[in-house]
Amino acid sequence: MSGAGGGVDPGVVDAIGTDLRSAGFTTSRVAELLGPDANAALGRGVWWPVVRATHGVPADRQRLAVLVRLLLLGTEESPDLVASAFPSTSLETLAANGVLEFTGDKVRAALDIRPHSDGTRDFYVVSDQDAAVRRGPLRHDHVLGIGGASVSLARAVIRKPVGRALDLGTGCGIQALHLNAHCEEVVATDTNERALALAAMTARLGGMSWDLRRGSMFEPVGGERFDLIVSNPPFVVGSGARDYIYRDSGMAGDALCQSLIEQVGDHLLPGGTAHIMANWIVRDGAEWQERVRGWLAGTGLHAWVVQRELADPVSYVSLWLADAGEDLERQAQRGGQWLDWFADQDIAGIGMGMISLRVPRAGEAPERILEEITGADEALTGSEVDAFFARRAYLRDTSDDALLAARLSTAPVFLEAQSLPGPDGWQEVGAAVRRPGGPAAVIGVDDVLRALLAGCRGEVSLGALIQLLAAHHGVDADALAQAALPEVREAIGRGILYQAE
């Protein structure tokens, strides 16, 4: 069957790729065409500066300008202009394959095809057009494009070479695309046939080949294990209705995320890692950590759970209603039903965040760290997640005696003093050390810890530094060591201290 739902003809996909590349339809060339202001506006979803920047361009940029308007903005264009942008195949063939559609005497895109870069290469990601581009409610099997959650997940994945990787709930294939660069084999699953068709198109446009399988949760990979599992699942918390496949799992509440976390360990190889975007219910008077800790209890996995945001019911429901493109009356009806269900379930808010998991070494007890990190400058990156697990392993493996014998160095940090105005001017009431850019990489310090961190230059042992500080302050060295060791361990855990080579 032709069309995106049944898959675009491979020859047509190849022709599209040839035309996009020959027109210079890449992230850098689009940015150059638009200029910094219009390109920034495009990223914010503001279209008019982009339309302005793509009209009246030189002839050698005409094809690129048409592609930007057609594929990124969803504008209607004249058939002659669109035909010039796709010289390798006819408009009729593209329409028959569900890539374009005729609207009277104009042509418009039926898909969102946009350039995407991993910093090294440019690719194309194929999805359905969102509600900001195509008016009216989304189709039930709508395939979401690159969004905030998918970008956050891609940024947080550890990018080390591994053998087998699983992208569970692949959608348009954005996670599989990034996995392809460092994984020998990529398996990508989805319940949505249309998503698998568009993911296949994304893969082919990038010259990639993934093992695409249809099915729910881990059903398509029963009995299989992977070095790396990533998932941006349909985690939206609701009553269990399945209005849109990309967001609604059909399971009530946060049961989908709970089930995913509880099962993922059965599909990880020794030393394997999983990164999962998740939402969880927060009830009045309850700590969100307790709910998620319950999911982790029987997994036997190390975990770092980070809540990035806590949304109240109205904000949460409004976010997902706005994405669906429904009219105001329909939004009011759905929103009211959604909020009523939240009230019936005593839901005070929804936590949103990232769950990173790792298989412990043989005989090692699992360790779980659950914390809230909301700073815009504290983004989770793959390197930070990898370093987090490495630091926790170091702390588990290193006794207090071994730590006192180690030579430690302080990472590049800032010392931040907190002061209040008083009768004699500013009076310092506290201080903290912060590692710039590190998520939750901050600890409070007193005068002794401040001096200890300043002295950690990888030259002498921690124990020797503590003895020097004890002599300077006239206190017992053993007592100071016992007081300092928990703070030193916290500093190591936050990446503020590390063992020198």
Side-chain angles (χ1 to χ4, degrees), residues 276-486:
I276 299 169
M277 296 292 293
N279 284 188
W280 43 81
I281 289 170
V282 180
R283 292 194 164 91
D284 266 330
E287 297 292 333
W288 69 267
Q289 292 94 334
E290 291 308 308
R291 185 172 190 85
V292 181
R293 192 174 282 114
W295 300 353
L296 298 165
T299 64
L301 301 173
H302 294 313
W304 187 22
V305 183
V306 176
Q307 179 168 282
R308 294 291 288 170
E309 185 177 350
L310 176 63
D312 64 84
V314 171
S315 297
Y316 187 79
V317 171
S318 298
L319 169 68
W320 294 107
L321 288 178
D323 275 359
E326 296 173 337
D327 62 42
L328 187 59
E329 288 295 327
R330 186 61 171 151
Q331 287 188 46
Q333 180 186 17
R334 282 193 192 273
Q337 294 169 346
W338 209 332
L339 291 176
D340 288 344
W341 185 83
F342 274 17
D344 290 343
Q345 299 296 313
D346 192 29
I347 295 174
I350 303 297
M352 298 179 276
M354 175 77 67
I355 300 178
S356 299
L357 305 163
R358 176 160 290 175
V359 178
R361 292 168 293 187
E364 189 174 64
E367 181 182 26
R368 285 79 186 251
I369 307 294
L370 297 87
E371 55 190 341
E372 187 171 22
I373 304 174
T374 59
D377 59 344
E378 298 179 284
L380 295 180
T381 64
S383 59
E384 284 285 351
V385 176
D386 192 35
F388 170 87
F389 282 122
R391 293 192 298 263
R392 301 314 304 180
Y394 173 84
L395 290 170
R396 289 191 298 271
D397 293 344
T398 307
S399 67
D400 284 351
D401 287 342
L403 192 55
L404 288 169
R407 292 180 294 109
L408 302 180
S409 289
T410 300
V413 295
F414 291 127
L415 175 64
E416 302 172 346
Q418 295 98 38
S419 301
L420 292 174
D424 299 320
W426 290 100
Q427 181 179 1
E428 186 173 315
V429 295
V433 166
R434 181 182 302 275
R435 177 168 60 86
V442 59
I443 57 171
V445 294
D446 56 17
D447 289 342
V448 175
L449 184 55
R450 184 188 308 197
L452 185 61
L453 291 174
C456 286
R457 302 173 186 172
E459 297 170 351
V460 298
S461 70
L462 175 64
L465 282 174
I466 289 176
Q467 288 179 350
L468 289 172
L469 282 172
H472 178 74
H473 289 277
V475 298
D476 180 72
D478 289 340
L480 182 58
Q482 290 304 308
L485 279 169

Side-chain angles (χ1 to χ4, degrees), residues 3-71:
V8 177
D9 180 88
V12 174
V13 176
D14 293 342
I16 292 171
T18 297
D19 291 340
L20 296 180
R21 286 185 287 271
S22 67
F25 192 54
T26 65
T27 54
S28 59
R29 292 286 297 278
V30 169
E32 180 185 345
L33 172 73
L34 299 181
D37 293 340
N39 193 53
L42 176 64
R44 298 192 304 271
V46 179
W47 305 146
W48 69 262
V50 182
V51 174
R52 179 174 180 269
T54 55
H55 282 295
V57 299
D60 62 344
R61 294 189 171 190
Q62 182 72 261
R63 288 180 62 204
L64 178 57
V66 171
L67 289 171
V68 168
R69 293 196 303 271
L70 183 77
L71 298 177

Side-chain angles (χ1 to χ4, degrees), residues 126-409:
V126 186
S127 66
D128 282 318
Q129 295 173 326
D130 63 28
V133 173
R134 179 175 289 270
R135 300 301 178 190
L138 304 179
R139 52 190 294 164
H140 173 67
D141 60 354
H142 176 83
V143 179
L144 198 66
I146 303 171
S150 59
V151 170
S152 295
L153 176 58
R155 185 189 297 123
V157 173
I158 298 171
R159 299 297 175 190
K160 288 185 173 179
V162 297
R164 303 193 77 212
L166 170 64
D167 175 13
L168 192 152
T170 190
C172 64
I174 180 63
Q175 303 305 326
L177 185 153
H178 284 278
L179 292 173
N180 197 87
H182 61 102
C183 304
E184 294 177 10
E185 179 188 358
V186 177
V187 178
T189 69
D190 208 291
T191 61
N192 186 353
E193 181 181 0
R194 181 174 177 82
L196 293 173
L198 297 190
M201 191 172 175
T202 293
R204 191 172 183 92
L205 285 170
M208 305 173 190
S209 179
W210 310 326
D211 183 353
L212 295 166
R213 307 181 191 179
R214 187 179 184 188
S216 179
M217 297 289 287
F218 292 102
E219 292 172 1
V221 293
E224 297 182 51
R225 291 182 181 266
F226 301 85
D227 299 287
L228 177 61
I229 297 175
V230 302
S231 183
N232 181 19
F235 50 61
V236 175
V237 174
S239 65
R242 204 174 193 202
D243 299 317
Y244 300 103
I245 297 176
Y246 78 90
R247 75 175 195 199
D248 304 319
S249 68
M251 302 171 71
D254 51 15
L256 180 280
C257 291
Q258 177 179 351
S259 181
L260 187 56
I261 297 304
E262 291 175 344
Q263 295 181 53
V264 69
D266 296 333
H267 297 275
L268 285 170
L269 287 164
T273 303
H275 305 271
I276 299 169
M277 296 292 293
N279 284 188
W280 43 81
I281 289 170
V282 180
R283 292 194 164 91
D284 266 330
E287 297 292 333
W288 69 267
Q289 292 94 334
E290 291 308 308
R291 185 172 190 85
V292 181
R293 192 174 282 114
W295 300 353
L296 298 165
T299 64
L301 301 173
H302 294 313
W304 187 22
V305 183
V306 176
Q307 179 168 282
R308 294 291 288 170
E309 185 177 350
L310 176 63
D312 64 84
V314 171
S315 297
Y316 187 79
V317 171
S318 298
L319 169 68
W320 294 107
L321 288 178
D323 275 359
E326 296 173 337
D327 62 42
L328 187 59
E329 288 295 327
R330 186 61 171 151
Q331 287 188 46
Q333 180 186 17
R334 282 193 192 273
Q337 294 169 346
W338 209 332
L339 291 176
D340 288 344
W341 185 83
F342 274 17
D344 290 343
Q345 299 296 313
D346 192 29
I347 295 174
I350 303 297
M352 298 179 276
M354 175 77 67
I355 300 178
S356 299
L357 305 163
R358 176 160 290 175
V359 178
R361 292 168 293 187
E364 189 174 64
E367 181 182 26
R368 285 79 186 251
I369 307 294
L370 297 87
E371 55 190 341
E372 187 171 22
I373 304 174
T374 59
D377 59 344
E378 298 179 284
L380 295 180
T381 64
S383 59
E384 284 285 351
V385 176
D386 192 35
F388 170 87
F389 282 122
R391 293 192 298 263
R392 301 314 304 180
Y394 173 84
L395 290 170
R396 289 191 298 271
D397 293 344
T398 307
S399 67
D400 284 351
D401 287 342
L403 192 55
L404 288 169
R407 292 180 294 109
L408 302 180
S409 289

